Amino acid sequence: MVVGAGIAGIQASLDLADSGYLVYLVEKNSAIGGVMAQLDKTFPTNDCSMCIISPKLVECGRHLNIDLLPLTEILDVSGEPGNFKVKVLQKPRYVDMSKCTACGECSKVCPIDAANRFDEELRDRKAAYKLYPQAMPSAYAIEKRGTAPCKATCPAHVSVQGYIALINQGKYREALELFKEATPSPHLRPCVPSPL
């Protein structure tokens, strides 16, 4: 296990993986790259930092002996040198990485603005985001904090995602029953149109 996927963690993972070891690369952000991905130029050669790190990002993302664990934090380390046990917490990405093509459509329609920590909060980004354009894994993530915006704006405070998902599947009766279950008071029900 390599903890931290900055340039040093990426290179250590590649060296270990090329030597035949299976590597778990743990990173707290949604993508690897660390601080070097935030830089424009590097000292003393004034080279573009992305020109240096991009090939390593791609190689790390494609290497068969490297398992990337983005959005992961270490909770506990026990054991002794040579025999450690590590307990980790991998936070949900809320985006299916096998289906995400990184097209950015989710970010275009996302109604929520959040501070862009990657840009040191100099500008905002959407809650559906990709850490930076060349990010590896090349998939979007959704940052959730507090109540979902649809639930927060609903006068009945109903989480309507399940209702909408059932309607999209053509399960109208089940959708209506789900909504009735969440809102026992009949005077609140007219705020969501009946699918029947």
Side-chain angles (χ1 to χ4, degrees), residues 81-97:
N83 188 21
F84 286 109
K85 289 189 178 190
V86 181
K87 186 175 182 182
V88 297
L89 172 66
Q90 189 166 24
K91 296 177 184 172
R93 191 176 199 92
Y94 300 108
V95 172
D96 186 344
M97 287 181 40

Side-chain angles (χ1 to χ4, degrees), residues 170-194:
K171 299 178 179 177
Y172 303 113
R173 192 159 305 283
E174 292 91 340
L176 186 58
E177 290 304 315
L178 180 70
F179 191 75
K180 284 181 179 179
E181 188 178 300
T183 56
S185 179
H187 73 278
L188 294 175
R189 291 186 193 145
C191 69
V192 174
S194 173

Side-chain angles (χ1 to χ4, degrees), residues 17-189:
D18 287 340
S19 298
Y21 293 99
L22 176 62
V23 178
Y24 294 98
L25 181 53
V26 176
E27 173 58 39
K28 66 181 178 181
N29 291 315
S30 63
I32 63 174
V35 174
M36 187 162 184
Q38 294 175 281
L39 301 176
D40 178 38
K41 304 285 184 196
T42 56
F43 181 80
T45 58
N46 211 27
D47 289 336
C48 163
S49 64
M50 270 302 143
C51 297
I52 298 168
I53 199 171
S54 287
K56 294 181 184 301
L57 292 173
V58 173
E59 187 179 356
C60 195
R62 292 183 179 170
H63 205 294
L64 297 176
N65 285 345
I66 299 176
D67 281 348
L68 297 178
L69 299 175
L71 294 168
T72 303
E73 295 178 6
I74 294 179
L75 297 179
D76 185 49
V77 178
S78 60
E80 53 192 52
N83 188 21
F84 286 109
K85 289 189 178 190
V86 181
K87 186 175 182 182
V88 297
L89 172 66
Q90 189 166 24
K91 296 177 184 172
R93 191 176 199 92
Y94 300 108
V95 172
D96 186 344
M97 287 181 40
S98 65
K99 295 179 181 176
C100 181
T101 60
C103 66
E105 290 300 315
C106 57
S107 185
K108 288 178 188 173
V109 298
C110 180
I112 305 299
D113 288 322
N116 191 341
R117 290 187 302 273
F118 185 79
D119 287 343
E120 299 298 328
E121 299 184 6
L122 294 174
R123 61 185 177 140
D124 287 342
R125 63 162 170 74
K126 296 296 183 180
Y129 71 101
K130 190 173 175 185
L131 195 58
Y132 57 96
Q134 302 85 356
M136 180 62 64
S138 184
Y140 276 71
I142 298 174
E143 180 180 353
K144 291 190 178 185
R145 284 186 270 159
T147 306
C150 50
K151 185 174 183 177
T153 57
C154 176
H157 299 290
V158 175
S159 182
V160 296
Q161 293 95 333
Y163 175 83
I164 292 169
L166 288 169
I167 289 199
N168 285 336
Q169 295 171 10
K171 299 178 179 177
Y172 303 113
R173 192 159 305 283
E174 292 91 340
L176 186 58
E177 290 304 315
L178 180 70
F179 191 75
K180 284 181 179 179
E181 188 178 300
T183 56
S185 179
H187 73 278
L188 294 175
R189 291 186 193 145

